[in-house]
Amino acid sequence: MNISRIIFSVFLAGLFIFLLFRQVDFANVRELGRNLNWTYSVLAFLAYFGLNVLRAIRFELLLNRAVKLRAMLNIIFVQNFFNVILPFRLGELSYIHFIRSYNISFGKNMASLIGARFLDLLSIVIIFLFSLFSLIQTVSYSITLIIVSLVLILILFIVLPLFFWLFGIIEHRLTVKNSDGALGFILRKVIEVRTSLISLNHQRLLINAGVLSLAIWLMTFLVGMFLFRSVLINFGFWEAVFAYAFPVVASFTPFHFFAGFGSYESVTSLGLIILGLNNNVAISSSLMLHLQELVFVVILAMVGFWQMTRSRHEK
């Protein structure tokens, strides 16, 4: 990875954290902690566990059940942890590493991850569009956001065929067998991934994986609604979708560093302010939401690490 990009991301993350701590009213955060609605916190945790089960089922499906559900669930728990603490979505590499230990080819491994992420993006945009249409009278700049979302959907439908076309060009114009060293290795892996992606192009598989992806993200936004209600922000579901989409999108950016501190609160506060909350409440609530999410991730990651360690000892 380019060292300058890492330095730039660290700088921006540090700036976000600095600005966050200048804005946070810690007395208000402590008050939120004392008044936390634990019922909704527990519901949020249960929903978070449920969506991870759905993620494991989807990956199991995309890998043609080559990895058992329980083992896949532990991998997902650990992957979530690394995705939270590492920038540039580098936590995805943990998935590739753990799946490789099941003697699954690199192409099939990468294809399952790329396919899942494509379905994730598509699901997020579709659900976010529904929230915008439902909040069109209350959300500022909703028309602009709808147009942006439609453009994103259009891009998604253009990028995937373009992706396959590009791999086709590589496959036909470059002779892998005559390529030596690193170039030959890279080209072979590129074509292996492309072939595995094409193998996913079965109507029943795509429908099942697509339905699971929509369910995953509906459950994700349900987690958001429960978390908002835990800090006494009584949003309906579509309001929660709108506000919670901001940290979701931020988690896919290079600036999601140091467990997302600073960037998470900044973008979540923006969504809350658009929906009418004042700055102080928005920032304090965002921090409390973030802390709860981190607790969820750490608890399940510890379970995942423990289960994986125990499984290795039993072999």
Side-chain angles (χ1 to χ4, degrees):
M1 182 182 298
N2 192 325
I3 190 66
S4 62
R5 292 178 65 188
I6 296 178
I7 294 173
F8 181 63
S9 295
V10 172
F11 170 76
L12 281 182
L15 180 62
F16 280 138
I17 293 172
F18 171 74
L19 294 174
L20 168 67
F21 279 91
R22 288 196 61 181
Q23 296 292 324
V24 171
D25 182 347
F26 287 100
N28 195 28
V29 173
R30 286 193 296 271
E31 187 67 21
L32 279 175
R34 283 194 293 266
N35 295 324
L36 196 68
N37 188 322
W38 288 98
T39 299
Y40 281 116
S41 293
V42 171
L43 287 173
F45 178 76
L46 293 175
Y48 179 70
F49 178 82
L51 74 87
N52 280 289
V53 172
L54 292 177
R55 284 174 177 166
I57 293 172
R58 182 181 62 177
F59 276 119
E60 185 190 31
L61 180 67
L62 291 172
L63 291 171
N64 198 25
R65 308 192 187 285
V67 181
K68 292 182 179 179
L69 179 59
R70 183 175 176 179
M72 182 62 74
L73 188 57
N74 292 326
I75 292 171
I76 297 299
F77 289 160
V78 175
Q79 178 195 20
N80 290 339
F81 174 75
F82 285 117
N83 268 337
V84 165
I85 65 173
L86 296 175
F88 298 105
R89 303 291 295 183
L90 287 177
E92 306 286 26
L93 295 177
S94 65
Y95 170 85
I96 297 170
H97 169 74
F98 290 126
I99 295 300
R100 186 179 60 180
S101 66
Y102 289 88
N103 296 319
I104 294 172
S105 70
F106 176 81
K108 193 171 183 179
N109 192 340
M110 281 294 297
S112 68
L113 184 60
I114 293 171
R117 292 299 168 251
F118 174 78
L119 291 171
D120 284 339
L121 290 172
L122 189 59
S123 298
I124 290 168
V125 171
I126 290 171
I127 295 170
F128 187 59
L129 269 177
F130 273 101
S131 78
L132 286 175
F133 281 117
S134 69
L135 298 173
I136 194 167
Q137 300 300 322
T138 58
V139 177
S140 302
Y141 310 112
S142 58
I143 297 298
T144 302
L145 290 173
I146 288 173
I147 293 172
V148 170
S149 299
L150 288 171
V151 170
L152 286 174
I153 291 177
L154 181 62
I155 289 172
L156 287 174
F157 281 112
I158 291 174
V159 166
L160 193 61
L162 184 63
F163 181 75
F164 287 126
W165 174 79
L166 179 61
F167 276 115
I169 294 291
I170 294 173
E171 187 174 11
H172 285 94
R173 295 195 178 185
L174 296 173
T175 305
V176 177
K177 290 183 179 179
N178 294 330
S179 299
D180 298 322
L183 178 61
F185 175 79
I186 291 170
L187 291 175
R188 283 190 291 273
K189 293 303 178 183
V190 165
I191 293 173
E192 185 181 336
V193 172
R194 174 182 175 271
T195 303
S196 297
L197 278 169
I198 291 173
S199 71
L200 295 178
N201 190 24
H202 296 294
Q203 185 176 6
R204 185 174 178 181
L205 174 62
L206 289 176
I207 290 173
N208 290 338
V211 169
L212 280 169
S213 298
L214 281 171
I216 287 166
W217 284 101
L218 286 170
M219 189 77 79
T220 300
F221 289 117
L222 185 64
V223 170
M225 187 185 78
F226 287 148
L227 286 174
F228 285 128
R229 292 191 176 191
S230 75
V231 294
L232 310 180
I233 300 175
N234 293 316
F235 281 158
F237 180 73
W238 294 118
E239 290 172 310
V241 168
F242 179 84
Y244 204 59
F246 285 79
V248 165
V249 172
S251 69
F252 285 91
T253 68
F255 315 123
H256 192 74
F257 217 109
F258 302 129
F261 280 112
S263 59
Y264 181 104
E265 287 75 16
S266 299
V267 296
T268 307
S269 298
L270 175 61
L272 294 175
I273 290 168
I274 291 174
L275 290 175
L277 276 70
N278 66 56
N279 290 13
N280 189 33
V281 172
I283 294 172
S284 301
S285 299
S286 299
L287 180 58
M288 186 57 64
L289 258 68
H290 193 188
L291 292 174
Q292 289 185 78
E293 279 190 30
L294 291 177
V295 170
F296 297 169
V297 170
V298 170
I299 289 173
L300 294 185
M302 290 172 64
V303 172
F305 276 120
W306 175 66
Q307 292 279 4
M308 292 166 74
T309 301
R310 193 177 73 167
S311 296
R312 282 198 297 268
H313 288 325
E314 289 175 353
K315 290 181 179 179

